[in-house]
Amino acid sequence: MNNDETQNYSEQDQNGSIHEPRMWRDDGWTARVIKNDDDEGWAVEMIKDGEAEPALVGPWTMGRDKKNPKPLDTPAFHTLVKTASEVLRRHEQQLHATLHKSVVVNTASATITVNLDIVPDEDDPYAMLSALDDGGDQIAEVRVAPNFKLTRASAEQWIENEFRRP
């Protein structure tokens, strides 16, 4: 490794970026190479700025000496950022799918979309049941228990009961 490479690894610029062999901070992310507790190898963790827990932890490649980890570099960091971002995106999609349900009901006079939006408040969780007409305008909205089961049958029953609280 020449002096330029050594200097690049330990540089920290004005934006708070760090480019070191075992820690790389840039673009809102930090990659840290850590000892793998499960075996003799190494792992890398990706932490998004402002988050306490890593978004991604995975195995990391051994260096040529088969003892120390391979140093982080720009291409590896960008790949890790892309992978960690995808993990977060999928987690957000799963959370959204868990907290937001929707059913479309065709009545004799209209097509009504019934939505259930769960609010996971730690002290007082609840859900909002709402009905929208064909144009997307809200027809009704009521507060329900967070464990309310939205099905086609429960939506039809709510509509038939003139949107009274189930």
Side-chain angles (χ1 to χ4, degrees), residues 14-34:
Q14 302 86 325
N15 298 330
S17 296
I18 298 172
H19 301 138
E20 297 177 356
R22 293 191 188 176
M23 185 156 141
W24 203 277
R25 180 177 297 143
D26 216 340
D27 298 328
W29 287 93
T30 300
R32 285 189 335 134
V33 177
I34 55 176

Side-chain angles (χ1 to χ4, degrees), residues 46-163:
M46 290 296 294
I47 302 171
K48 189 165 179 66
D49 285 358
E51 297 294 323
E53 296 293 319
L56 175 73
V57 177
W60 188 245
T61 308
M62 297 289 267
R64 291 181 186 208
D65 66 0
K66 304 293 182 210
K67 201 183 289 186
N68 293 304
K70 177 182 161 193
L72 288 163
D73 58 18
T74 301
F77 180 75
H78 288 295
T79 299
L80 289 165
V81 167
K82 182 178 178 183
T83 304
S85 296
E86 180 66 18
V87 167
L88 287 182
R89 188 180 70 75
R90 286 184 182 170
H91 176 73
E92 288 168 0
Q93 285 176 333
Q94 179 186 12
L95 182 60
H96 180 80
T98 302
L99 298 177
H100 305 283
K101 307 270 187 221
S102 187
V103 173
V104 176
V105 177
N106 292 313
T107 67
S109 59
T111 299
I112 299 173
T113 302
V114 178
N115 295 319
L116 178 69
D117 296 302
I118 300 170
V119 180
D121 186 287
E122 284 186 30
D123 297 326
D124 185 25
Y126 64 93
M128 296 303 292
L129 189 63
S130 60
L132 307 172
D133 65 14
D134 288 335
D137 293 325
Q138 187 169 302
I139 303 168
E141 182 177 63
V142 295
R143 185 172 170 150
V144 295
N147 60 350
F148 180 84
K149 299 290 184 216
L150 178 61
T151 63
R152 184 167 314 284
S154 66
E156 288 171 349
Q157 185 177 21
W158 185 51
I159 293 166
E160 288 169 8
N161 289 329
E162 298 176 351
F163 307 106

